[in-house]
Amino acid sequence: MYDNHTLGDLEPHIYAVADVAYHAMLQREKNQCIVISGESGSGKTQSTNFLIHHLTALSQKGFASGVEQIILGAGPVLEAFGNAKTAHNNNSSRFGKFIQVNYQESGTVRGAYVEKYLLEKSRLVYQEHNERNYHVFYYLLAGASEEERKAFHLKKPEEYHYLSQMTKSTRQLHWDSYCESEPDCFTVEGEDLKHDFERLQLAMEMVGFLPATRKQIFCLLSAILHLGNIRYKRKTYRDDSIDICNPEVLPVVSELLEVKEEMLFEALTTRKTVTVGEKLIVPYKLAEANTVRDSMAKSLYSALFDWIVFRINHALLNVKDLVETTKILSIGVLDIFGFEDYENNSFEQFCINFANERLQHYFNQHIFKLEQEEYRAEGISWHNIDYIDNTGCINLISKKPTALFHLLDEECNFPQATNQTLLDKFKRQHEGNSYIEFPAVMEPAFIIRHYAGKVKYGVKDFREKNTDHMRPDIVALLKSSKNAFICSLMGIDPSATFRWAVLRAYFRALVAFREAGKRHTQKRTGHDDAAPCAVLKSVDSFSFLQHPVHQRSLEILQRCKEEKYSVTRKSPRTPLSDLQGSNTINEKSPRSPGLGWNGRVGRQSRLSSSSSTTEEDGIFVNSASSKLLERAHDILMRNKNYKSKPVLPKHLLNVKSLKYLSNLALHDRITKSLLHLHKKKKPPSISAQFQASLNKLMETLGQSEPYFVKCIRSNAEKLPLRFNDNLVLRQLRYTGMLETVRIRQSGYNIKYSFKDFVHHFSVLLPEGTSATKEGIQQCLDQLDHEPDGYQVGKTMVFLREAERQRLQALLHGEVLRRIVTLQRRFRARLERQQFVRMREAAICIQKWWRLYRPIEEEEEEEEDYDPAVQEGAALCLQTHWRGYRERQRFRLWREAALVLQRAWRSWLYRRCTAALVIQTAWRCHQAREAYLRLYAAVIQLQAISRGYLARQSLKDLREQKLREEKEQQEKLLQLQNGQVSLSPEEEEEPP
């Protein structure tokens, strides 16, 4: 309906904005951006979804690249993990996102990139009255199956501390204080949590998350919920030590995180401090323990959210972007948190409102300041329109050296700083600033005069939230997890983590292959009983192959298997892709100790062989040339029919793509930098990284042509079909919409340079019109436009929207008239050519007919045929018949030549292939003999060294025993001489 229509032709709709931006990008070949702003609960997220759906629909008119489905699936995933119910909105975005959709010149989607800003981590551990945690927790608890509930140890929402925040406005420090309070509601009217969970599962599948990956994500979410249930108490015999009230929660968290229970207990109750030459273990205080527990949960969830965004970007990445440097057209959609003013505003609201200040300043720059400055520079007649300039508020918050963010970072560097010292520093530096006020009463708060009104912020927890550090012992605990997924979340560099994962997967698989070779060797030598069942490894122990980080290693291992082992086996082994598929079906089997690749007893058993016991591996044991030739021939004949290839999932990771995505997000390293405090370089604060993200966002927006969408909240009660006049009018005033309407009515929002104007409207202008002010002014006067509808400046032509539409209509009519003229002339030419051809054909028929007809039919009774005509007809027939016969003969000769060439080339190929197979078999045999000699030497050295160590240990034990016997004899002599008296306990012992 809105496709290829001028903005304003139809009723206002979000689809019209998307369509105009899409076609402007293709016509002008410039990047576009759509900035969506408004209060919380005004519909920004829903408008973003409509925009993305329409942009993908426009792209799919041509050839669909498949990225559109991933873009549509990323929306529900990000909403589930980043949105929550607040007092103003049931689906409030607690993070900002900028979605950049890249297009090809043809208009199809080339790729996309999602950038996130400042996830509200504090919501995970505490929510205000009538608010909820993130949606994904409620989706999981309502939609999980019985099997999943048992595997993840899921409970009801009211049994989790992080989900059952109470109606009290002030947060309590102890769990017991919540028992008498009334919990908030866990559901929203009209919400179907089970359906939302199924929708989330489908969206994650569209993005590319494997079932095993989704299982690991949900397992981590359950671990975070159970981590919040850990309660502390002071020990009765020590005032400075604490203990866990409910130790039964620890095994559950330990199982879900796959860490040792003892290490988890130590990390949650004590901290390790390294001094000069010694290491101190200091117990946490009660308040510190709660903070560490919450910090661990917040950092885990934030790292998981960053990982999800990273995986989505990898799925949206176009491989051609890694190697090509061609220009890419893009449309960016900004959906950032709206302006917020709650009863208790903290550091998160301060950052959110600062981001909205920057967006409002960007809006004012483009709509008012830059446009009016351009009018004055061009010398056209114009009366300035006053608008609210919020530059002073932005300088107060972010301009160094006295900005509030800078002062906050300074206070965070002082260990003795408090909330009062921070507030005092604000007062000293900005006492006379009109954009900041301080309450008259002694209240730890300050008031900022934003463009949307005054907002009071409490300084409590400002310093803690600006750093939000996680101790190194917690990081070490999580990196010690047996779950490769959790370890990957703790990594700083994704490419380095990926390299270690591939290397670890390769060596584990190599161990399995070596153990399988040992068992087959024992079978060939007749020692089937010597292979104990302890050597078999549980298939579940190779579950690391399910992790997406290790998916790339499957391709490498399969390639190595085909190149190194396909020649030396009578029957091919099961591909790794089949082993991977079996991991999701087989249940866990009890682990038993097995032998490692170095001959020692390993901690885990090895992978059981999937091949049948009746089949044997054809390892070369005979070096005779005749045997080699026979085996090479057999392998060659067998491999002709064996063409199985491993089925690998899409969107596999590789080092090049990981480095590319990491460089795009260098400015946003909030989670990764704070997880590693043992580094000498101090990580930047949350406010510093947030400012860096906003600066990059403003730089991206500055390189694009903007479209602004202002969302207005109709009422504060979250009710449909209700319109509050005062609330809407207040939003229209502080967003500058009234001034925007005035400047659009009296201003000239359409601008063309002289060259572009002449090029665009050359059809309407007289031939030879020059791109000068006088020439364009004369042409516009001849077109009978309204005098107030346009002005010609020094270098540009300014038009109002009505005049532009009138010019476009005239241009469209003139183009259509010329098209009709061209069509008329072309059709006339076609008809003329057709007529000429038919006339020539009729003349030819008439000529031959007249030659055939008797010349003197009335005078002669018998027909008299012309001999020349008969001779010509005979010659024509003979010519066509001889040509047909020669063509048939040539076709037969050509087919025979092709058959001979094909047979000769096939014989040459078979001869070369046989030689290559023989050479490969002989080289493999030589390498095998060298390896066996080296292996026997290593075994002999190991046996000698172990024997020497055993003899040394036996010698030490004998000497120790002799010393003990000598000491006992001396003691007995002293007792006999009366020199030593026995204690009462020793006297009571029997002899």
Side-chain angles (χ1 to χ4, degrees), residues 730-750:
R730 181 181 65 85
Q731 296 176 77
L732 291 176
R733 283 176 176 169
Y734 74 67
T735 54
M737 292 304 299
L738 301 180
E739 291 81 2
T740 304
V741 172
R742 287 203 301 270
I743 197 173
R744 287 305 182 196
Q745 288 179 345
S746 58
Y748 305 92
N749 57 331
I750 308 300

mmCIF file of all heavy atoms in Angstrom, residues 730-750:
data_model
loop_
_atom_site.group_PDB
_atom_site.id
_atom_site.type_symbol
_atom_site.label_atom_id
_atom_site.label_comp_id
_atom_site.label_asym_id
_atom_site.label_seq_id
_atom_site.Cartn_x
_atom_site.Cartn_y
_atom_site.Cartn_z
ATOM 1 N N ARG A 730 2.140 17.881 26.955
ATOM 2 C CA ARG A 730 3.432 18.044 27.617
ATOM 3 C C ARG A 730 4.552 17.395 26.798
ATOM 4 O O ARG A 730 5.629 17.977 26.641
ATOM 5 C CB ARG A 730 3.370 17.422 29.013
ATOM 6 C CG ARG A 730 4.660 17.565 29.811
ATOM 7 C CD ARG A 730 4.535 16.902 31.179
ATOM 8 N NE ARG A 730 4.374 15.464 31.060
ATOM 9 C CZ ARG A 730 5.388 14.604 30.941
ATOM 10 N NH1 ARG A 730 6.631 15.042 30.927
ATOM 11 N NH2 ARG A 730 5.161 13.309 30.844
ATOM 12 N N GLN A 731 4.293 16.204 26.257
ATOM 13 C CA GLN A 731 5.305 15.537 25.433
ATOM 14 C C GLN A 731 5.565 16.293 24.134
ATOM 15 O O GLN A 731 6.714 16.392 23.679
ATOM 16 C CB GLN A 731 4.861 14.104 25.127
ATOM 17 C CG GLN A 731 4.741 13.220 26.354
ATOM 18 C CD GLN A 731 4.207 11.839 26.004
ATOM 19 O OE1 GLN A 731 4.905 11.001 25.485
ATOM 20 N NE2 GLN A 731 2.939 11.605 26.308
ATOM 21 N N LEU A 732 4.520 16.849 23.532
ATOM 22 C CA LEU A 732 4.713 17.609 22.301
ATOM 23 C C LEU A 732 5.536 18.864 22.540
ATOM 24 O O LEU A 732 6.328 19.284 21.687
ATOM 25 C CB LEU A 732 3.353 17.983 21.706
ATOM 26 C CG LEU A 732 2.506 16.840 21.148
ATOM 27 C CD1 LEU A 732 1.160 17.358 20.686
ATOM 28 C CD2 LEU A 732 3.219 16.154 19.988
ATOM 29 N N ARG A 733 5.404 19.443 23.714
ATOM 30 C CA ARG A 733 6.127 20.678 24.008
ATOM 31 C C ARG A 733 7.603 20.405 24.271
ATOM 32 O O ARG A 733 8.482 21.037 23.679
ATOM 33 C CB ARG A 733 5.493 21.380 25.207
ATOM 34 C CG ARG A 733 4.201 22.120 24.854
ATOM 35 C CD ARG A 733 3.554 22.708 26.090
ATOM 36 N NE ARG A 733 2.367 23.504 25.727
ATOM 37 C CZ ARG A 733 1.487 23.961 26.615
ATOM 38 N NH1 ARG A 733 1.660 23.715 27.920
ATOM 39 N NH2 ARG A 733 0.451 24.679 26.214
ATOM 40 N N TYR A 734 7.914 19.432 25.169
ATOM 41 C CA TYR A 734 9.323 19.269 25.521
ATOM 42 C C TYR A 734 10.129 18.569 24.428
ATOM 43 O O TYR A 734 11.348 18.646 24.411
ATOM 44 C CB TYR A 734 9.484 18.572 26.867
ATOM 45 C CG TYR A 734 9.214 17.083 26.914
ATOM 46 C CD1 TYR A 734 10.031 16.161 26.270
ATOM 47 C CD2 TYR A 734 8.137 16.586 27.658
ATOM 48 C CE1 TYR A 734 9.790 14.806 26.331
ATOM 49 C CE2 TYR A 734 7.895 15.230 27.729
ATOM 50 C CZ TYR A 734 8.730 14.345 27.072
ATOM 51 O OH TYR A 734 8.496 12.992 27.154
ATOM 52 N N THR A 735 9.468 17.852 23.517
ATOM 53 C CA THR A 735 10.212 17.249 22.399
ATOM 54 C C THR A 735 10.428 18.227 21.252
ATOM 55 O O THR A 735 11.135 17.889 20.296
ATOM 56 C CB THR A 735 9.466 16.022 21.862
ATOM 57 O OG1 THR A 735 8.118 16.385 21.521
ATOM 58 C CG2 THR A 735 9.441 14.918 22.894
ATOM 59 N N GLY A 736 9.834 19.429 21.351
ATOM 60 C CA GLY A 736 10.018 20.423 20.297
ATOM 61 C C GLY A 736 9.180 20.175 19.068
ATOM 62 O O GLY A 736 9.493 20.709 17.994
ATOM 63 N N MET A 737 8.109 19.417 19.193
ATOM 64 C CA MET A 737 7.295 19.097 18.025
ATOM 65 C C MET A 737 6.520 20.305 17.537
ATOM 66 O O MET A 737 6.286 20.468 16.332
ATOM 67 C CB MET A 737 6.331 17.954 18.342
ATOM 68 C CG MET A 737 7.003 16.616 18.579
ATOM 69 S SD MET A 737 8.033 16.118 17.178
ATOM 70 C CE MET A 737 6.831 16.016 15.875
ATOM 71 N N LEU A 738 6.089 21.190 18.456
ATOM 72 C CA LEU A 738 5.354 22.381 18.030
ATOM 73 C C LEU A 738 6.249 23.294 17.209
ATOM 74 O O LEU A 738 5.840 23.828 16.163
ATOM 75 C CB LEU A 738 4.808 23.122 19.260
ATOM 76 C CG LEU A 738 3.863 22.297 20.152
ATOM 77 C CD1 LEU A 738 3.387 23.132 21.332
ATOM 78 C CD2 LEU A 738 2.658 21.796 19.354
ATOM 79 N N GLU A 739 7.495 23.486 17.661
ATOM 80 C CA GLU A 739 8.430 24.290 16.877
ATOM 81 C C GLU A 739 8.782 23.598 15.556
ATOM 82 O O GLU A 739 9.001 24.262 14.535
ATOM 83 C CB GLU A 739 9.709 24.544 17.683
ATOM 84 C CG GLU A 739 9.540 25.456 18.877
ATOM 85 C CD GLU A 739 8.982 24.725 20.082
ATOM 86 O OE1 GLU A 739 8.776 23.495 19.975
ATOM 87 O OE2 GLU A 739 8.737 25.362 21.123
ATOM 88 N N THR A 740 8.826 22.280 15.583
ATOM 89 C CA THR A 740 9.109 21.543 14.346
ATOM 90 C C THR A 740 8.010 21.751 13.317
ATOM 91 O O THR A 740 8.286 21.915 12.115
ATOM 92 C CB THR A 740 9.251 20.044 14.657
ATOM 93 O OG1 THR A 740 10.267 19.857 15.646
ATOM 94 C CG2 THR A 740 9.623 19.264 13.423
ATOM 95 N N VAL A 741 6.763 21.766 13.778
ATOM 96 C CA VAL A 741 5.648 22.002 12.855
ATOM 97 C C VAL A 741 5.741 23.395 12.255
ATOM 98 O O VAL A 741 5.525 23.598 11.038
ATOM 99 C CB VAL A 741 4.308 21.801 13.593
ATOM 100 C CG1 VAL A 741 3.145 22.231 12.711
ATOM 101 C CG2 VAL A 741 4.142 20.346 13.996
ATOM 102 N N ARG A 742 6.115 24.370 13.091
ATOM 103 C CA ARG A 742 6.217 25.740 12.588
ATOM 104 C C ARG A 742 7.344 25.879 11.566
ATOM 105 O O ARG A 742 7.179 26.527 10.524
ATOM 106 C CB ARG A 742 6.442 26.716 13.747
ATOM 107 C CG ARG A 742 5.209 26.940 14.597
ATOM 108 C CD ARG A 742 5.282 28.270 15.328
ATOM 109 N NE ARG A 742 6.448 28.358 16.190
ATOM 110 C CZ ARG A 742 6.467 27.989 17.461
ATOM 111 N NH1 ARG A 742 5.366 27.497 18.015
ATOM 112 N NH2 ARG A 742 7.564 28.097 18.171
ATOM 113 N N ILE A 743 8.478 25.270 11.848
ATOM 114 C CA ILE A 743 9.600 25.411 10.905
ATOM 115 C C ILE A 743 9.336 24.621 9.625
ATOM 116 O O ILE A 743 9.828 24.980 8.553
ATOM 117 C CB ILE A 743 10.917 24.965 11.580
ATOM 118 C CG1 ILE A 743 12.114 25.498 10.795
ATOM 119 C CG2 ILE A 743 11.018 23.450 11.664
ATOM 120 C CD1 ILE A 743 13.442 25.248 11.466
ATOM 121 N N ARG A 744 8.538 23.543 9.708
ATOM 122 C CA ARG A 744 8.195 22.810 8.494
ATOM 123 C C ARG A 744 7.176 23.578 7.655
ATOM 124 O O ARG A 744 7.177 23.497 6.427
ATOM 125 C CB ARG A 744 7.631 21.433 8.860
ATOM 126 C CG ARG A 744 8.672 20.454 9.361
ATOM 127 C CD ARG A 744 9.799 20.299 8.398
ATOM 128 N NE ARG A 744 10.789 19.322 8.828
ATOM 129 C CZ ARG A 744 12.007 19.213 8.335
ATOM 130 N NH1 ARG A 744 12.394 20.039 7.393
ATOM 131 N NH2 ARG A 744 12.843 18.311 8.782
ATOM 132 N N GLN A 745 6.306 24.325 8.348
ATOM 133 C CA GLN A 745 5.314 25.094 7.608
ATOM 134 C C GLN A 745 5.932 26.311 6.932
ATOM 135 O O GLN A 745 5.599 26.640 5.790
ATOM 136 C CB GLN A 745 4.185 25.528 8.550
ATOM 137 C CG GLN A 745 3.276 24.388 8.971
ATOM 138 C CD GLN A 745 2.194 24.855 9.922
ATOM 139 O OE1 GLN A 745 2.273 25.951 10.485
ATOM 140 N NE2 GLN A 745 1.174 24.032 10.126
ATOM 141 N N SER A 746 6.823 27.005 7.632
ATOM 142 C CA SER A 746 7.401 28.235 7.088
ATOM 143 C C SER A 746 8.759 28.021 6.448
ATOM 144 O O SER A 746 9.248 28.903 5.751
ATOM 145 C CB SER A 746 7.530 29.285 8.195
ATOM 146 O OG SER A 746 8.338 28.782 9.254
ATOM 147 N N GLY A 747 9.394 26.867 6.706
ATOM 148 C CA GLY A 747 10.734 26.626 6.177
ATOM 149 C C GLY A 747 10.720 25.911 4.845
ATOM 150 O O GLY A 747 9.670 25.628 4.249
ATOM 151 N N TYR A 748 11.929 25.643 4.359
ATOM 152 C CA TYR A 748 12.132 24.985 3.068
ATOM 153 C C TYR A 748 12.915 23.699 3.340
ATOM 154 O O TYR A 748 14.145 23.705 3.406
ATOM 155 C CB TYR A 748 12.899 25.897 2.119
ATOM 156 C CG TYR A 748 12.251 27.254 1.919
ATOM 157 C CD1 TYR A 748 12.601 28.330 2.731
ATOM 158 C CD2 TYR A 748 11.282 27.454 0.940
ATOM 159 C CE1 TYR A 748 12.012 29.572 2.554
ATOM 160 C CE2 TYR A 748 10.687 28.691 0.761
ATOM 161 C CZ TYR A 748 11.051 29.741 1.577
ATOM 162 O OH TYR A 748 10.470 30.977 1.412
ATOM 163 N N ASN A 749 12.172 22.634 3.516
ATOM 164 C CA ASN A 749 12.808 21.373 3.897
ATOM 165 C C ASN A 749 13.383 20.604 2.727
ATOM 166 O O ASN A 749 14.067 19.602 2.907
ATOM 167 C CB ASN A 749 11.806 20.478 4.634
ATOM 168 C CG ASN A 749 10.566 20.213 3.818
ATOM 169 O OD1 ASN A 749 10.175 21.044 3.006
ATOM 170 N ND2 ASN A 749 9.941 19.077 4.026
ATOM 171 N N ILE A 750 13.146 21.072 1.493
ATOM 172 C CA ILE A 750 13.700 20.421 0.310
ATOM 173 C C ILE A 750 14.784 21.326 -0.256
ATOM 174 O O ILE A 750 14.531 22.508 -0.559
ATOM 175 C CB ILE A 750 12.613 20.148 -0.750
ATOM 176 C CG1 ILE A 750 11.428 19.401 -0.110
ATOM 177 C CG2 ILE A 750 13.195 19.360 -1.906
ATOM 178 C CD1 ILE A 750 11.793 18.068 0.480
#
